[in-house]
Amino acid sequence: MQLYETQQIKIYNSLTGEKEVFKPITEGYVGMYVCGPTVYSNVHLGNVRTFMSFDVIFRYLKYLGYKVRYVRNITDAGHLENDADVGEDKIAKKARLEQIEPMEVVQRYTLDFHSVLNTLNFLPPSIEPTATGHIIEQIELITSIIDNGFAYEINGSVYFDVHKFDESNEYGKLSKRKLEDLIHNTRELDGQSDKKNPQDFALWKKAEPQHIMRWPSPWGDGFPGWHLECTAMSTKYLGETFDIHGGGMDLKFPHHECEIAQNEAALGKSPVNYWMHANMLEMNGQRMAKSTGNTINPHELLSGENSKMSKAYSPSVIRFFMAQSSYRSVLDLTDAGLLASEKGYNRLMEAMGLISKLKPSNTSSINIKEWLQKCYDAMNDDFNTPILIANLFEGAKYINQVKDGSETLTSEDITLLENNLNAFVFDVLGLLKDVEMQSGGDKLSGAVDILIKLRQEARANKDFALSDKIRDELAEAGIILKDGKDGTTFTVN
């Protein structure tokens, strides 16, 4: 029996605005699509937060025994400036400014994206398709939408007819927007004169002579619309209707709204059963933006080479910090928050390091199975990582209580606690023991043990001044000594 057969997950569905019991289309299998980056610049830390949320979701589904096909795309063409149907392609613009080929831009920033995610211990998706690798599928999709009467061609471009679609369907149901409100709040913009209505969006754009990225089509040389790419790639690899579609909150409208419309117009069915959206990342209480200087990129956060934070933070501390907030909540990145997460992470690692030293008893005074179900309950409740972490600290408290002799655990329960702490900390949350802890931990432990022995000798010789000096100077260095009935131990603060 797989774990998913005993654990019932509830997911907050953005489409309905409610938590719903998760029932995959095919028992034991999950199809999940997450909108990936447009690779024209270094990956933004806010994007990392979104991808990390879905990395944890992916990990938990796999941990429960589901066979998950996780598709996360790379947008390497068609994403115009300001997410509009006018202006320059973001990648082509970067290539023009740097006087290099567009695919050089794509290669550079795709490698950066993978490097950052690898450093932060992300699992790779099952499939990572590119927009340029699926031009044929997109042309076929446009043809179906035209044939069904929901799109029109004009001057070499093809536009989705939002008004025609809304007559028989509901445009705006994901973002809870009504077409009449969109009409009222829309102004005519220069360059949109080809459209029947300003609310219509491009499925295929005619390539002007100076446009580098272009492909032949039945409507002339051009390039696909940004919204169309995800519809083509998600349905190709996950089917006409699949389980989960994720992305950042900023993609709900118009991007995901347009995906729903395209799928219904081409295939006559809704593409996704559960829509999930991760919320925004702020810094010091304000929106992160290059224009205001209130920004920091992943490399700067990891290296400490920035003016916003007091030090460098390890990949695991960054993951731990982000997991202490629900994926649906706005997360405020602060130095104080990261420092607190680092201390919490170290306390958790310290406790886990003590499990193997616990002495088993004949009986258990703690119900470990009950604790374990609380961990599952947290993740089953829309992947509530903050509550999971609270339960993990509860497990750490049990370890310290057993070590101090105030509680007891049988050998079987110690093993159960150890296995499941490891599973939730490393397999589900994706934390790792820091490299410095892995490679230098034994050396640090050996050095501190020598100082502990010197302190014990000083105390035996009644040289309390030296004994206190060793304790105090270690404390200043962040190493706290603890005297107990079994001897002196230390923790790194």
Side-chain angles (χ1 to χ4, degrees):
M1 177 179 287
Q2 296 288 354
L3 277 170
Y4 67 76
E5 297 178 69
T6 62
Q7 305 298 324
Q8 185 181 81
I9 298 175
K10 285 190 175 181
I11 293 177
Y12 181 84
N13 191 343
S14 298
L15 186 62
T16 61
E18 296 178 354
K19 287 182 184 178
E20 301 175 1
V21 173
F22 177 61
K23 293 182 179 178
I25 295 168
T26 303
E27 184 179 349
Y29 292 82
V30 178
M32 182 170 75
Y33 185 90
V34 174
C35 291
T38 300
V39 283
Y40 72 101
S41 64
N42 296 110
V43 63
H44 189 278
L45 198 59
N47 297 139
V48 170
R49 192 260 172 123
T50 295
F51 299 134
M52 189 172 293
S53 298
F54 289 101
D55 180 64
V56 171
I57 291 167
F58 179 38
R59 286 172 174 273
Y60 186 61
L61 292 171
K62 284 171 61 71
Y63 176 67
L64 291 184
Y66 284 110
K67 293 184 178 180
V68 186
R69 178 176 288 179
Y70 174 23
V71 182
R72 187 186 65 213
N73 74 296
I74 295 288
T75 294
D76 56 354
H79 194 164
L80 303 186
E81 296 174 278
N82 304 316
D83 301 343
D85 289 335
V86 294
E88 201 169 356
D89 183 293
K90 292 184 177 184
I91 292 167
K93 181 178 179 179
K94 186 79 169 183
R96 177 175 57 79
L97 292 174
E98 298 194 13
Q99 297 185 322
I100 58 177
E101 284 289 327
M103 284 301 121
E104 289 184 71
V105 174
V106 168
Q107 179 75 354
R108 176 187 301 173
Y109 295 114
T110 299
L111 290 174
D112 170 75
F113 175 66
H114 288 154
S115 174
V116 169
L117 267 55
N118 288 339
T119 300
L120 291 167
N121 195 35
F122 281 55
L123 295 179
S126 314
I127 304 173
E128 194 172 49
T130 63
T132 57
H134 296 77
I135 299 295
I136 293 173
E137 289 85 352
Q138 292 173 77
I139 290 173
E140 290 175 347
L141 194 60
I142 295 170
T143 301
S144 296
I145 296 174
I146 292 174
D147 290 345
N148 291 339
F150 294 113
Y152 56 92
E153 183 270 333
I154 186 166
N155 295 330
S157 293
V158 181
Y159 294 99
F160 189 95
D161 192 333
V162 171
H163 289 243
K164 181 66 179 296
F165 175 79
D166 197 59
E167 290 175 4
S168 55
N169 297 271
E170 184 184 356
Y171 182 78
K173 59 186 175 184
L174 178 65
S175 57
K176 311 300 185 283
R177 305 186 188 204
K178 297 293 185 182
L179 182 56
E180 52 265 31
D181 296 331
L182 295 173
I183 294 170
H184 179 73
N185 294 320
T186 301
R187 293 179 298 171
E188 288 284 354
L189 300 175
D190 292 339
Q192 289 190 333
S193 57
D194 281 351
K195 295 182 182 181
K196 290 181 180 178
N197 299 286
Q199 295 77 34
D200 297 346
F201 58 89
L203 300 175
W204 187 266
K205 285 286 287 182
K206 176 183 178 181
E208 299 301 329
Q210 69 274 16
H211 202 284
I212 304 172
M213 304 180 79
R214 58 202 299 138
W215 291 266
S217 80
W219 316 285
D221 283 2
F223 53 93
W226 173 42
H227 310 308
L228 185 74
E229 299 168 359
C230 286
T231 299
M233 290 183 280
S234 62
T235 54
K236 175 171 182 176
Y237 296 109
L238 298 175
E240 295 179 358
T241 300
F242 53 94
D243 296 303
I244 298 172
H245 193 314
M249 194 74 75
D250 56 318
L251 297 180
K252 186 183 290 186
F253 185 88
H255 186 54
H256 291 162
E257 200 72 74
C258 294
E259 282 191 56
I260 292 175
Q262 290 165 165
N263 210 84
E264 292 183 351
L267 304 169
K269 59 183 71 176
S270 184
V272 179
N273 286 344
Y274 303 88
W275 284 93
M276 301 181 68
H277 291 92
N279 218 321
M280 310 299 288
L281 179 69
E282 296 181 344
M283 186 163 67
N284 298 322
Q286 297 180 334
R287 181 176 177 271
M288 292 183 72
K290 291 181 180 179
S291 58
T292 62
N294 190 52
T295 185
I296 186 172
N297 68 40
H299 296 291
E300 291 171 334
L301 189 59
L302 287 160
S303 67
E305 297 174 359
N306 64 84
S307 60
K308 304 293 191 302
M309 304 296 165
S310 62
K311 55 173 290 185
Y313 291 99
S314 73
S316 284
V317 168
I318 295 171
R319 287 193 71 109
F320 194 62
F321 169 78
M322 290 188 175
Q324 289 183 83
S325 176
S326 164
Y327 76 91
R328 289 195 291 121
S329 300
V330 174
L331 176 60
D332 189 17
L333 181 71
T334 66
D335 194 47
L338 285 163
L339 286 169
S341 291
E342 186 173 58
K343 289 181 179 180
Y345 166 77
N346 287 336
R347 286 201 310 273
L348 191 58
M349 291 298 108
E350 173 198 343
M352 292 178 69
L354 295 173
I355 298 180
S356 61
K357 302 175 184 176
L358 297 183
K359 296 177 180 178
S361 300
N362 293 327
T363 60
S364 292
S365 59
I366 304 167
N367 191 329
I368 296 300
K369 289 182 179 178
E370 186 177 282
W371 165 83
L372 175 57
Q373 188 56 50
K374 286 167 63 178
C375 292
Y376 284 122
D377 290 345
M379 289 302 290
N380 293 342
D381 183 18
D382 196 33
F383 311 101
N384 196 327
T385 53
I387 300 300
L388 171 64
I389 288 173
N391 290 323
L392 296 179
F393 276 120
E394 188 78 5
K397 184 181 77 172
Y398 295 157
I399 293 169
N400 286 307
Q401 288 173 333
V402 173
K403 177 179 177 294
D404 294 340
S406 58
E407 300 284 0
T408 61
L409 287 176
T410 62
S411 176
E412 181 183 2
D413 278 343
I414 289 173
T415 300
L416 185 65
L417 178 61
E418 179 177 19
N419 289 345
N420 285 284
L421 269 174
N422 283 329
F424 280 105
V425 170
F426 301 125
D427 297 338
V428 175
L429 292 181
L431 304 182
L432 288 170
K433 291 183 179 179
D434 286 342
V435 173
E436 62 191 47
M437 295 178 70
Q438 292 174 327
S439 62
D442 291 342
K443 295 178 182 177
L444 174 63
S445 181
V448 175
D449 284 344
I450 291 172
L451 291 171
I452 289 173
K453 289 177 182 177
L454 290 174
R455 179 170 173 263
Q456 290 170 339
E457 290 176 5
R459 294 173 75 179
N461 295 329
K462 298 186 178 181
D463 188 351
F464 298 113
L466 177 58
S467 170
D468 291 346
K469 183 178 181 181
I470 293 172
R471 180 198 62 203
D472 294 343
E473 291 195 5
L474 282 173
E476 286 183 16
I479 298 170
I480 310 301
L481 299 184
K482 295 181 180 179
D483 295 318
K485 62 181 181 180
D486 295 325
T488 302
T489 60
F490 74 93
T491 59
V492 179
N493 192 0

